[in-house]
Amino acid sequence: MQEIEIANLRKLTEVVKATYNYDFTNYAMSSFKRRISRVLDLFNFQSVDALIAKVESDPKFFETFVQEITVNVTEMFRDPSFWRLLREDIVPNLLLNHSSINIWHAGCSSGEEVYSMCMLLNEMGILDKSKIIATDLDKGILEKARSGRYKLKNMELHEKNYIRFQGTHSIKDYYTIKGDEIQMNPELVRNVSWREHDLVNGPVFNKFDLVLCRNVMIYFNQNLQNEVLKKIHESMFKYGYLAIGSKESLIWCEIANKFIVVNNEEKIYKKIKE
């Protein structure tokens, strides 16, 4: 792997921001550096300057670049105990005072988490009482999520997670096999709106009862995490719930006093102050 100077990374982020209005300046530097090094090797660039020239002049390549820089590792029913808690506690609590639920999957990646949520809501009999917005920065990965097509070989892991979640169906009920891929039932996501959205620079566009932003902010530095959490807080109804990743925390952030911990192990918080 090539040795990369911090000054060259700053130059790259400045060009990306100026050309495409994508802001990577506050990504965690160690993670960003590793991913740039991978891009240099993957596409045989001899230097960061060569990568900058390609990114600046080729919008199509820039889409590929974004796919490589953003992290798209996810599973259906990842952390099954988290999903059980949603089903048995969080969603029923929301339904005590709501006839419908607004949910935001922020940084939805390739959509496995969104399909998991729709299966959960379907099995609770409230899929049509729910409106879901699923957003991601990466156009290509969002198209994959919208298509609902996944590798058949990955379904074994998803099925194991679903069994540990203790779903009431078989996960096979929700998809059909097409060669080496599966096609999720599109009816499952009939109430999902897929949208390209930048958590860093994008607007606050709705109010939500439940926000899932899991394993996204771990790749941001502390300043950026703070800004994103402020935006998420603003997008939530009072007494709404926020779920973040198992290695993430609200403890240190500026708006920590506006939330209470609902479940520390599963990293679920409740908004108590505007």
Side-chain angles (χ1 to χ4, degrees):
M1 281 192 172
Q2 298 182 34
E3 187 61 35
I4 301 173
E5 294 182 6
I6 299 300
N8 287 335
L9 288 180
R10 289 202 186 100
K11 182 179 176 184
L12 173 61
T13 58
E14 286 166 5
V15 167
V16 167
K17 189 172 182 180
T19 309
Y20 300 100
N21 199 32
Y22 278 52
D23 191 352
F24 290 109
T25 53
N26 285 307
Y27 272 55
M29 188 55 69
S30 58
S31 176
F32 188 65
K33 189 175 180 180
R34 281 196 305 273
R35 290 186 169 273
I36 294 302
S37 183
R38 182 176 179 277
V39 169
L40 294 178
D41 289 345
L42 191 62
F43 297 98
N44 297 313
F45 288 108
Q46 298 304 306
S47 65
V48 176
D49 282 338
L51 172 61
I52 290 171
K54 181 68 171 175
V55 164
E56 194 170 20
S57 64
D58 189 341
K60 195 69 181 172
F61 175 78
F62 177 69
E63 290 183 19
T64 303
F65 171 80
V66 170
Q67 289 175 27
E68 293 299 332
I69 295 303
T70 54
V71 180
N72 298 306
V73 179
T74 185
E75 302 165 14
M76 290 183 190
F77 295 100
R78 184 179 187 177
D79 306 318
S81 57
F82 166 81
W83 293 95
R84 290 198 303 269
L85 186 63
L86 284 189
R87 178 185 60 203
E88 294 160 13
D89 189 355
I90 305 304
V91 173
N93 277 337
L94 286 171
L95 287 170
L96 289 174
N97 300 307
H98 298 75
S99 58
S100 62
I101 303 175
N102 291 316
I103 301 169
W104 178 20
H105 287 267
C108 71
S109 188
S110 45
E112 285 90 338
E113 188 178 78
V114 181
Y115 285 95
S116 302
M117 178 65 76
C118 290
M119 285 183 247
L120 179 153
L121 296 170
N122 180 67
E123 293 179 13
M124 292 183 73
I126 57 168
L127 185 57
D128 286 325
K129 293 182 180 179
S130 310
K131 292 183 180 178
I132 298 173
I133 293 179
T135 65
D136 203 274
L137 173 72
D138 182 339
K139 288 180 186 176
I141 209 72
L142 200 58
E143 280 304 311
K144 180 179 178 181
R146 186 184 281 114
S147 76
R149 294 181 75 93
Y150 299 102
K151 293 293 184 184
L152 178 60
K153 65 182 180 182
N154 295 338
M155 294 311 295
E156 183 179 353
L157 172 60
H158 301 329
E159 184 168 15
K160 285 179 180 177
N161 286 345
Y162 178 81
I163 290 168
R164 289 172 58 209
F165 160 67
Q166 298 167 358
T168 59
H169 293 55
S170 164
I171 199 170
K172 293 183 175 72
D173 295 340
Y174 295 107
Y175 65 82
T176 54
I177 298 174
K178 298 189 174 182
D180 63 351
E181 291 187 323
I182 64 99
Q183 174 66 62
M184 296 300 295
N185 184 348
E187 273 297 293
L188 198 58
V189 289
R190 59 183 177 269
N191 297 324
V192 176
S193 174
W194 307 93
R195 301 185 189 179
E196 184 184 353
H197 180 261
D198 184 347
L199 268 176
V200 181
N201 293 318
V204 174
F205 51 82
N206 212 329
K207 284 282 189 180
F208 298 95
D209 304 297
L210 174 60
V211 177
L212 289 85
C213 186
R214 303 175 72 216
N215 307 302
V216 175
M217 291 181 291
I218 196 172
Y219 301 103
F220 301 162
N221 70 16
Q222 191 166 322
N223 288 338
L224 185 52
Q225 289 182 30
N226 244 328
E227 292 308 307
V228 169
L229 284 167
K230 285 179 187 174
K231 191 171 291 185
I232 288 174
H233 172 268
E234 190 180 342
S235 75
M236 295 173 65
F237 286 118
K238 191 175 182 182
Y239 305 124
Y241 292 90
L242 168 64
I244 60 176
S246 59
K247 293 182 174 65
E248 298 165 334
S249 176
L250 298 190
I251 292 172
W252 50 264
C253 77
E254 293 175 13
I255 57 169
N257 67 333
K258 297 184 178 182
F259 289 89
I260 58 170
V261 178
V262 174
N263 187 295
N264 192 50
E265 188 175 341
E266 304 298 349
K267 295 298 172 72
I268 298 178
Y269 301 83
K270 188 174 188 177
K271 177 178 174 177
I272 56 168
K273 295 179 184 177
E274 294 293 350

